[in-house]
Amino acid sequence: MSHSWQYFASRNPALLSQSDQTTSAETVTLISKWILFYHYRLGSQQQGELSMEENMSPEELLAEIKKYAARGEQLSAYDLSVKALEKYPDDLWIRHQSVLSLARAGATDQAIARYETLALEKEQHEDIKSLKARLQKDLALSHPQEERTSYYATAAHSYESIYKETQGYYPEINAATLYFLAGENGKSK
């Protein structure tokens, strides 16, 4: 058991003792929120690790952000993207990685808010539009099983719209899968 989990468990015995009354989606949401809180609580101790050189280009910063993400350090990737956006606020791919790192960390609500704050909705690139659909899919997964159908359908429709515009395989596969999960088998083919 990791140190972080031990810390969380010691401060949340009610959650752990009531696990039969807490859905897995609620547990994941609570843990995700705790991870964000804990990360920022320790942030002052770790800030030196995320320093960026003044002369780094957006491409170099993006590469660094992706290195953190590839190591599974999504919150560090997010932190670096926030710092990078202070210097390059209009860089599309740093904005994308900022939202994606939150989504990968399980902070769906925060990722949706960040997507809107960074005005990614107006972007036309397939990957940017697919990120919004992915967030809708993540939102579905954060709800109890019996409530997911309508969320799956919303995400499927978003992916289908993207596919119709781009003919990309990623939105096509996701649209089909999500229509299947939404019970709309005719649209999943």
Side-chain angles (χ1 to χ4, degrees), residues 7 12 20 35 41 62 64 98 100 107 131 170:
Y7 178 87
N12 295 279
D20 57 324
I35 289 171
R41 183 170 169 248
L62 184 61
E64 285 298 309
S98 184
L100 184 59
L131 179 56
Y170 179 81

Side-chain angles (χ1 to χ4, degrees), residues 61-170:
L61 286 167
L62 184 61
E64 285 298 309
I65 293 164
K66 288 182 176 182
K67 283 181 189 176
Y68 280 108
R71 291 192 307 248
E73 298 178 38
Q74 302 306 327
L75 296 175
S76 294
Y78 173 73
D79 286 346
L80 185 55
S81 74
V82 169
K83 286 184 176 186
L85 286 171
E86 290 173 6
K87 188 171 182 181
Y88 302 106
D90 296 326
D91 188 279
L92 178 62
W93 298 111
I94 293 174
R95 290 165 40 218
H96 174 265
Q97 284 296 313
S98 184
V99 175
L100 184 59
S101 60
L102 282 174
R104 288 176 174 165
T108 304
D109 293 336
Q110 293 86 346
I112 291 169
R114 187 87 173 144
Y115 188 93
E116 293 167 1
T117 300
L118 294 175
L120 290 174
E121 191 75 42
K122 66 181 182 176
E123 300 296 339
Q124 297 303 309
H125 193 281
E126 178 182 305
D127 289 348
I128 305 301
K129 288 182 171 200
S130 292
L131 179 56
K132 175 68 179 231
R134 181 244 165 96
L135 295 172
Q136 292 169 334
K137 178 177 62 174
D138 290 350
L139 194 58
L141 294 170
S142 72
H143 284 79
Q145 183 68 37
E146 60 276 1
E147 296 176 17
R148 292 181 183 173
T149 303
S150 65
Y151 291 99
Y152 284 145
T154 300
H157 178 72
S158 294
Y159 275 121
E160 181 183 27
S161 296
I162 298 163
Y163 171 71
K164 286 179 179 177
E165 290 177 29
T166 67
Q167 299 298 303
Y169 69 91
Y170 179 81

